[in-house]
């Protein structure tokens, strides 16, 4: 597995609002396949006090799969790094590949995130396989995520769950229409019909991670707009040209990649 701790994306990371710290140093000695930035920085609405969410894939050695000592399929590391709160979560390659074969938009957003901290040849191959795994059923992921976040918003009346609600609905609509995964809310507003107040909400959240919506937009209008976006997502799913399930060829190619990566390690 060719391994590169890349730095050319530093400007892109800075433009996304990430702190000026060497994120790649967190990954030392972990056999990382890739690590990208997820969360609010990827979605385009970070706050001044937002944590940095790193997501990715590690590669367990063969001994951890066939021996008595079981390796960690999921690793979580949280803490302060150069004064910045970091949250690093990685899955073993096989587990991540299985998640890719489900209607899980979240892992595809992590894989395809343009905010790359660390990459390898295996990462590039995973990225190339991702379009062949997209299905109409991914709409269920975004619909369910939006419903959960909207319920949270109704309890808290905070900007964060509202922006998540709007973001995932727009991501789902765009995916159904174009076959492209886009998680960045400001970009989505130019690709999908979005409420005019989204930019104002993003600007308000930049000031505080848990800021209230109070006074920015009428609650009744919010409810109507969210219901309308749900209807648009339903229509986009019904009209989508994406398949119901990934083709067997895509499954086989992903299996082959996992085997090659494991045996070459």
């Amino acid at each position: 597995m060719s391994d590169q701790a890349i730095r050319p994306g530093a400007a892109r990371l800075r433009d996304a609002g990430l702190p000026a710290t060497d994120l790649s140093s967190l990954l030392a000695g972990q056999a990382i396949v890739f690590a990208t930035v997820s969360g609010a920085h990827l979605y385009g609405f970070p706050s001044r006090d937002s944590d940095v969410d790193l997501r990715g894939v590690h590669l367990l050695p063969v001994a951890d799969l066939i021996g008595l000592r079981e390796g960690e399929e999921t690793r979580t590391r949280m803490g302060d790094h150069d004064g910045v709160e970091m949250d690093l979560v990685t899955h073993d390659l096989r587990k991540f590949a299985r998640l890719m074969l489900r209607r899980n938009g979240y892992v595809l957003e992590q894989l395809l995130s343009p905010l790359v901290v660390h990459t390898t040849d295996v990462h590039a191959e995973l990225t190339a396989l991702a379009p062949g795994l997209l299905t109409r059923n991914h709409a269920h992921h975004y619909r369910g995520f939006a419903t959960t976040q909207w319920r949270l918003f109704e309890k808290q009346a905070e900007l964060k769950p509202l922006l998540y609600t709007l973001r995932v609905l727009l991501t789902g609509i765009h995916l159904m229409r174009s076959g492209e995964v886009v998680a960045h809310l400001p970009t989505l507003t130019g690709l999908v019909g979005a409420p005019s107040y989204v930019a104002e909400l993003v600007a308000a959240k930049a000031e505080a991670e848990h800021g209230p919506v109070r006074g920015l937009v009428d609650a009744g209008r919010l409810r109507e707009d969210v219901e309308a976006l749900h209807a648009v997502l339903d229509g986009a799913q019904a009209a989508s040209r994406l398949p119901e399930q990934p083709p067997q060829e895509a499954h086989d190619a992903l299996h082959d990649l996992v085997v090659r990566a494991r045996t070459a390690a």
Side-chain angles (χ1 to χ4, degrees):
M1 180 175 63
S2 174
D3 191 46
Q4 321 163 43
I6 68 164
R7 304 196 189 279
R12 177 171 278 176
L13 294 173
R14 184 185 63 248
D15 291 345
L18 285 147
T21 184
D22 181 12
L23 301 178
S24 63
S25 65
L26 290 170
L27 313 176
Q30 298 192 54
I32 298 295
V33 173
F34 78 85
T36 60
V37 176
S38 185
H41 292 93
L42 172 61
Y43 307 146
F45 46 81
S47 307
R48 293 179 178 177
D49 51 349
S50 288
D51 295 347
V52 175
D53 297 323
L54 297 178
R55 298 292 183 266
V57 166
H58 63 268
L59 190 65
L60 289 173
V62 174
D64 284 1
L65 300 173
I66 63 176
L68 296 179
R69 294 188 298 273
E70 295 184 7
E72 294 178 299
E73 279 202 310
T74 298
R75 296 172 178 167
T76 301
R77 181 179 176 185
M78 303 175 66
D80 183 278
H81 180 73
D82 291 342
V84 179
E85 285 298 315
M86 299 286 181
D87 174 12
L88 171 63
V89 179
T90 62
H91 298 304
D92 174 62
L93 178 61
R94 181 174 62 179
K95 179 176 182 178
F96 191 84
R98 287 172 173 167
L99 291 171
M100 287 175 66
L101 288 167
R102 301 175 186 173
R103 60 188 192 194
N104 191 324
Y106 188 47
V107 297
L108 293 176
E109 291 170 6
Q110 295 168 11
L111 172 64
L112 301 173
S113 170
L115 305 178
V116 179
V117 174
H118 180 92
T119 189
T120 64
D121 291 343
V122 175
H123 180 208
E125 289 196 56
L126 287 171
T127 299
L129 290 174
L133 303 174
L134 298 172
T135 72
R136 282 197 294 274
N137 284 321
H138 280 81
H140 297 298
H141 165 85
Y142 290 107
R143 186 180 294 111
F145 194 2
T147 298
T148 300
Q149 290 298 312
W150 178 254
R151 288 172 181 163
L152 187 61
F153 167 70
E154 289 185 314
K155 292 180 181 178
Q156 299 178 346
E158 290 186 356
L159 288 160
K160 184 175 180 178
L162 175 58
L163 285 169
Y164 268 79
T165 300
L166 296 170
R167 197 282 293 177
V168 296
L169 286 169
L170 295 175
T171 294
I173 292 167
H174 183 67
L175 173 59
M176 292 301 104
R177 290 175 174 175
S178 69
E180 179 187 25
V181 178
V182 177
H184 189 257
L185 181 56
T187 298
L188 286 162
T189 59
L191 298 172
V192 183
S196 59
Y197 49 76
V198 169
E200 186 178 0
L201 298 180
V202 170
K205 185 182 177 295
E207 300 301 318
E209 179 73 5
H210 299 286
V213 175
R214 183 177 59 250
L216 294 174
V217 60
D218 178 72
R221 182 182 176 187
L222 282 176
R223 189 173 296 105
E224 291 177 1
D225 287 344
V226 168
E227 290 175 354
L229 287 173
H230 271 283
V232 174
L233 177 57
D234 293 344
Q237 180 183 11
S240 179
R241 296 183 178 182
L242 291 172
E244 288 288 340
Q245 300 292 337
Q248 186 62 42
E249 293 82 358
H251 187 288
D252 293 344
L254 195 55
H255 167 80
D256 177 66
L257 174 56
V258 174
V259 172
R260 285 190 288 107
R262 187 84 70 198
T263 55

